Amino acid sequence: MKRRNVKRDNSSPDRKDRRAAGGRRKEGTQSPWWLRRGLLAAVAVCILVPVTYKIIPVLIQDIIHTYRLSVPFFEDLSRPADFSLNHTINMYLTSEEGISLGVWHTVPESRWKEAQGKDLLWYQNTLNDGNPVFIYLHGNTGSRTAPHRVGVANLLSALGYHVVVPDYRGFGDSTGEPTESGLTTDAMHVYNWVKTRSGDSLVVIWGHSLGTGVSSNTAVKLLEEGVVCDGVILEGAFNTDQQHLPYNMFSWYYWRFPGIKRLVSFLWEGKMPVFPTEHNLKKMKSPILFLHSEDDHLVPIEIAHRTYEVAANAQSKDRVKLVTFDGSLGYLHNGLYRDPKLPGVLKEFVNSL
């Protein structure tokens, strides 16, 4: 007789009830997916908002000044001869505690042979030789090695002038982080350093692009100390009363994300550099020469004319001049140094001081 295999069910009714109750308890205590994601999002917001509040202003400052970007990379700013300036010395000035500024001093071209192998003291002493001294305050990208800045130094040197070109804090090999007040402090220090060594020589401040804002700030600061700068040249001058600060080529990237423009505006409210050029021009007493290309793609020529009128009305058209350059020449924002009529314009301005 065959034995039948019977599968026993060892689960008692009580045990089944307990298992079912346990399953219901697990289902009841498990959070819905949307609640878990909501909590994670809240935690992320609590972490990211304070971090973003700290990072975004620095990021925008990088965009405005683009002092982090230097092309070509790994260039040695202590060797100006590598950039076709073989009668130039590199030095470092301390504008305030912890801030070291990289500076080039180029002597007049007529002294280039004499300058070979000379030390810093020799260069400093030449500032008192009676030739005009130009302090060139550059724009918002790169360093003093940029080709158009080297071009300006060579042009002025060929005319018999000294040229002192600093990199603001945070630019080039200068230390520190750039701010409007910091850049103005740096320019003031360079001006005072030159004046203590230049005797009765003329000292002219030439600002380009962002440097025009630094130049007008510096001229007004000097005026508050009872000093009238011998002359000021404003090339490609922007006017924050008439337009926004010109951004660099990468700024579009940061504005394309949904909501980022609103967030950036909120986080950096009150921290945007002002550079009140128009306000400064109403106070300045120095002779001013505006240089502007008609095809300037960052500062339209119409703004240049309006800015000039503000300065001319504050002083007179004898003391404030505007020289424009034909747009068909393609100089845009940085190329005026190549114009053949510029040397004559500069000599005429210097002779009028």
Side-chain angles (χ1 to χ4, degrees):
M1 188 174 179
K2 293 183 178 179
R3 302 179 64 180
R4 297 175 62 185
N5 292 327
V6 179
K7 186 176 181 180
R8 296 183 177 181
D9 186 356
N10 294 326
S11 301
S12 65
D14 290 341
R15 185 175 297 175
K16 290 181 179 179
D17 290 343
R18 285 196 297 271
R19 288 178 181 175
R24 285 194 298 272
R25 280 197 298 273
K26 288 180 181 179
E27 292 176 0
T29 57
Q30 187 174 10
S31 301
W33 66 268
W34 56 266
L35 181 58
R36 292 198 303 274
R37 292 187 180 181
L39 288 173
L40 287 173
V43 170
V45 168
C46 291
I47 294 173
L48 289 176
V49 167
V51 172
T52 302
Y53 185 81
K54 291 288 187 181
I55 291 176
I56 289 294
V58 176
L59 177 62
I60 300 176
Q61 195 154 284
D62 286 353
I63 297 170
I64 295 294
H65 297 279
T66 55
Y67 60 96
R68 301 291 186 195
L69 181 63
S70 180
V71 180
F73 301 104
F74 312 116
E75 54 193 7
D76 187 353
L77 280 73
S78 68
R79 296 170 57 88
D82 292 348
F83 303 91
S84 303
L85 292 171
N86 59 3
H87 49 306
T88 301
I89 196 165
N90 180 72
M91 57 185 164
Y92 296 95
L93 303 179
T94 302
S95 62
E96 59 184 11
E97 186 177 357
I99 303 298
S100 173
L101 306 179
V103 182
W104 284 349
H105 171 201
T106 302
V107 296
E109 189 179 82
S110 60
R111 306 191 68 172
W112 80 268
K113 285 186 178 179
E114 185 185 358
Q116 303 310 302
K118 295 299 192 295
D119 60 10
L120 179 59
L121 180 60
W122 181 88
Y123 273 84
Q124 291 182 17
N125 289 336
T126 64
L127 289 170
N128 196 21
D129 64 7
N131 291 308
V133 183
F134 280 73
I135 299 172
Y136 181 76
L137 302 177
H138 65 64
N140 69 332
T141 57
S143 68
R144 59 194 185 275
T145 66
H148 60 286
R149 292 162 194 160
V150 173
V152 170
N154 277 321
L155 168 64
L156 293 172
S157 175
L159 292 174
Y161 308 144
H162 292 270
V163 196
V164 177
V165 185
D167 270 326
Y168 317 110
R169 62 186 66 196
F171 287 75
D173 54 354
S174 299
T175 61
E177 297 291 325
T179 61
E180 180 175 359
S181 61
L183 268 60
T184 304
T185 296
D186 296 342
M188 287 283 291
H189 180 79
V190 173
Y191 177 87
N192 290 327
W193 183 89
V194 168
K195 282 297 289 184
T196 59
R197 292 160 176 80
S198 59
D200 295 329
S201 300
L202 289 172
V203 177
V204 179
I205 297 176
W206 180 335
H208 173 237
S209 192
L210 179 73
T212 63
V214 181
S215 298
S216 68
N217 277 359
T218 302
V220 169
K221 286 285 186 184
L222 289 171
L223 197 59
E224 292 171 356
E225 297 178 1
V227 177
V228 177
C229 184
D230 294 327
V232 176
I233 298 176
L234 301 177
E235 177 195 356
F238 64 86
N239 186 333
T240 52
D241 287 336
Q242 304 287 341
Q243 66 170 150
H244 295 297
L245 285 172
Y247 297 111
N248 72 31
M249 66 184 75
F250 302 122
S251 62
W252 61 268
Y253 177 85
Y254 298 96
W255 302 129
R256 69 179 182 176
F257 298 107
I260 193 67
K261 185 175 182 179
R262 185 180 298 275
L263 176 62
V264 164
S265 300
F266 169 74
L267 292 175
W268 217 27
E269 185 177 358
K271 299 179 182 179
M272 189 76 172
V274 178
F275 292 111
T277 301
E278 187 167 306
H279 180 73
N280 289 338
L281 290 171
K282 295 175 181 178
K283 295 181 177 180
M284 289 169 59
K285 305 298 182 184
S286 305
I288 303 172
L289 171 63
F290 287 92
L291 303 173
H292 214 96
S293 178
E294 292 176 351
D295 66 337
D296 191 315
H297 62 299
L298 295 182
V299 185
I301 188 64
E302 295 79 14
I303 289 179
H305 282 290
R306 291 199 290 268
T307 305
Y308 160 73
E309 290 295 335
V310 170
N313 290 335
Q315 297 194 61
S316 71
K317 293 191 176 182
D318 291 332
R319 292 179 61 81
V320 180
K321 302 292 184 182
L322 169 63
V323 177
T324 61
F325 297 80
D326 194 332
S328 66
L329 298 171
Y331 295 143
L332 299 175
H333 192 62
N334 295 334
L336 292 185
Y337 72 95
R338 302 196 305 266
D339 193 273
K341 78 174 184 181
L342 184 57
V345 170
L346 295 173
K347 286 191 288 187
E348 182 179 351
F349 179 66
V350 169
N351 291 337
S352 70
L353 301 178

